[in-house]
């Protein structure tokens, strides 16, 4: 029997997503500042910080569309538009290059002759390499007139202190279970999303989306069932390890399992093992197997 394929889901990109759930206070704060910009200059750099998958990019695009409308200029820096020194798109890049930032600056310098507002959206600052971060810093030291910077950040610790000091930092909170349920009803109609899965997401709809796309929610449930089974053996552990190992995005459910069983002492070791898995093990399933075995020993 052929293995059951994970269902196919289509989630809109943040640019195309008009459904913002949560973060109403941050949006209201910006709108109030924008409405009063003639009397009080609006801060040119807004940093939207918080965990992945909670809607920071969706909020950033919503703000950007409101500012530049149909007449201003809009510049986006992200991995999808990342280029190399020859100006070619780097489809497999993991960090945003300085060439991407320089190209944006060149375009920006030729834009907005009409005097309309410009928006520069960086998604995310965490993915800028050191040279790119320094190039952005130079731009922020003397922000161009009528230019709004929207900086998406997943981890404030990854941001240069000098960049952070020039921004108005808005810390966005994880979504509530009811907000996650609202998004599930909209983007996963007909899917049975358990309360356990909602709690597992830790306030991130992006995590739920990734779990559903990969079938990770079902694999997580199987992992917990395996660990709770007093009769499970090495073969059972290897079977679930083989399901988790091929998809690096699923390795995080091992940490979720550790949290589920309250095994905080295992967390640092497992975190390092996951980070080093590809470097140490020729077969990732061996690394996953060892982590699951360690969890089982503690139960």
């Amino acid at each position: 029997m052929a293995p059951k394929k994970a269902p196919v889901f289509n989630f809109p990109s943040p640019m195309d997503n008009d459904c913002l759930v949560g973060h109403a206070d941050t949006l209201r704060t910006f709108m109030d500042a924008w409405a009063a910009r003639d009397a009080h200059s609006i801060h040119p750099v807004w940093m939207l910080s918080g965990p992945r998958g909670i809607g920071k990019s969706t909020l950033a695009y919503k703000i950007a569309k409101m500012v530049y409308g149909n007449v201003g200029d809009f510049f986006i820096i992200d991995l999808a538009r990342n280029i190399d020194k020859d100006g070619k798109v780097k489809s497999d890049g993991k960090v945003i290059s300085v060439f991407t930032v320089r190209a944006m600056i060149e375009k920006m310098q030729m834009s907005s002759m009409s005097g309309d507002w410009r928006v520069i959206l960086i998604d995310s600052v965490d993915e800028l390499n050191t040279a790119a971060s320094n190039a952005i810093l130079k731009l922020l030291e003397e922000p161009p007139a009528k230019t709004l910077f929207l900086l998406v950040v997943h981890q404030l610790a990854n941001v240069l202190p000098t960049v952070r000091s020039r921004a108005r930092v808005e810390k966005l909170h994880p979504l509530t279970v009811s907000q996650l349920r609202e998004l599930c009803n909209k983007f996963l109609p007909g899917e049975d999303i358990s309360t356990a899965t909602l709690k597992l997401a830790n306030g991130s709809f992006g995590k739920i989306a990734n779990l559903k796309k990969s079938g990770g929610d079902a694999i997580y449930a199987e992992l917990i069932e395996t660990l709770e089974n007093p009769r499970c053996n090495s073969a059972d552990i290897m079977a679930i390890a083989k399901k988790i190992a091929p998809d690096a995005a699923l390795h995080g459910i091992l940490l979720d399992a550790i949290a589920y069983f309250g095994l905080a002492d295992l967390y640092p070791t497992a975190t390092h093992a996951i980070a080093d898995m590809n470097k140490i093990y020729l077969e990732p399933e061996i690394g996953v197997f060892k982590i699951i075995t360690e969890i089982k020993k503690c139960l």
Side-chain angles (χ1 to χ4, degrees):
M1 181 182 295
K4 185 178 179 181
K5 293 183 179 180
V8 176
F9 300 103
N10 293 313
F11 299 101
S13 69
M15 178 186 289
D16 301 322
N17 184 16
D18 293 326
C19 179
L20 177 69
V21 173
H23 319 309
D25 52 345
T26 301
L27 178 59
R28 189 179 307 110
T29 296
F30 177 84
M31 292 180 68
D32 289 345
W34 178 251
R37 66 189 181 280
D38 291 334
H40 306 283
S41 297
I42 188 169
H43 200 296
V45 186
W46 290 62
M47 185 174 287
L48 307 178
S49 171
R52 290 181 181 272
I54 63 171
K56 301 186 301 299
S57 298
T58 298
L59 173 59
Y61 277 102
K62 189 176 185 69
I63 291 173
K65 291 174 184 177
M66 180 178 66
V67 172
Y68 80 87
N70 295 317
V71 292
D73 294 297
F74 187 23
F75 304 93
I76 304 168
I77 295 177
D78 60 15
L79 284 174
R81 296 163 180 80
N82 199 25
I83 60 174
D84 61 19
K85 60 183 179 63
D86 297 318
K88 297 180 180 179
V89 175
K90 298 175 61 176
S91 58
D92 59 346
K94 295 183 179 180
V95 293
I96 298 173
S97 73
V98 67
F99 308 108
T100 305
V101 175
R102 288 173 180 169
M104 181 278 297
I105 293 174
E106 288 179 6
K107 292 178 182 177
M108 186 191 68
Q109 289 173 340
M110 296 184 292
S111 73
S112 204
M113 299 301 290
S114 65
D116 293 312
W117 275 81
R118 297 174 293 187
V119 179
I120 298 171
L121 192 157
I122 303 178
D123 185 10
S124 68
V125 174
D126 308 64
E127 292 161 340
L128 295 170
N129 67 19
T130 301
S133 292
N134 287 327
I136 289 295
L137 175 59
K138 290 181 180 179
L139 197 58
L140 298 183
E141 287 174 343
E142 294 185 23
K146 298 188 75 173
T147 302
L148 176 70
F149 292 83
L150 298 172
L151 312 181
V152 175
V153 174
H154 306 306
Q155 288 283 347
L156 278 175
N158 295 337
V159 181
L160 290 175
T162 45
V163 171
R164 182 177 175 179
S165 67
R166 286 165 173 76
R168 171 173 179 154
V169 179
E170 295 288 333
K171 296 182 180 180
L172 276 59
H173 302 292
L175 301 176
T176 65
V177 169
S178 62
Q179 288 170 335
L180 290 174
R181 181 76 71 185
E182 180 181 346
L183 287 167
C184 288
N185 290 339
K186 180 173 181 61
F187 295 113
L188 295 166
E191 286 293 311
D192 182 18
I193 310 297
S194 66
T195 300
T197 297
L198 295 177
K199 291 181 178 178
L200 173 65
N202 293 322
S204 168
F205 180 73
K207 185 169 184 178
I208 293 177
N210 289 333
L211 286 171
K212 294 304 293 184
K213 285 189 289 186
S214 64
D217 56 335
I219 294 175
Y220 176 75
E222 185 178 346
L223 171 63
I224 298 300
E225 183 179 352
T226 299
L227 288 167
E228 289 181 332
N229 182 359
R231 294 186 297 276
C232 86
N233 53 37
S234 296
D236 297 323
I237 293 176
M238 180 55 79
I240 188 67
K242 287 182 176 179
K243 294 181 180 181
I244 296 171
D247 188 349
L250 286 181
H251 295 173
I253 67 175
L254 298 170
L255 302 179
D256 294 319
I258 289 172
Y260 176 87
F261 290 108
L263 304 175
D265 290 345
L266 277 184
Y267 198 90
T269 301
T271 300
H272 287 111
I274 291 171
D276 294 339
M277 203 171 290
N278 293 330
K279 300 176 184 177
I280 298 175
Y281 300 107
L282 293 177
E283 299 292 340
E285 61 196 44
I286 296 175
V288 174
F289 173 84
K290 288 186 175 182
I291 294 172
I292 299 174
T293 301
E294 287 302 311
I295 297 173
K296 183 63 177 175
K297 286 180 181 177
C298 295
L299 300 180

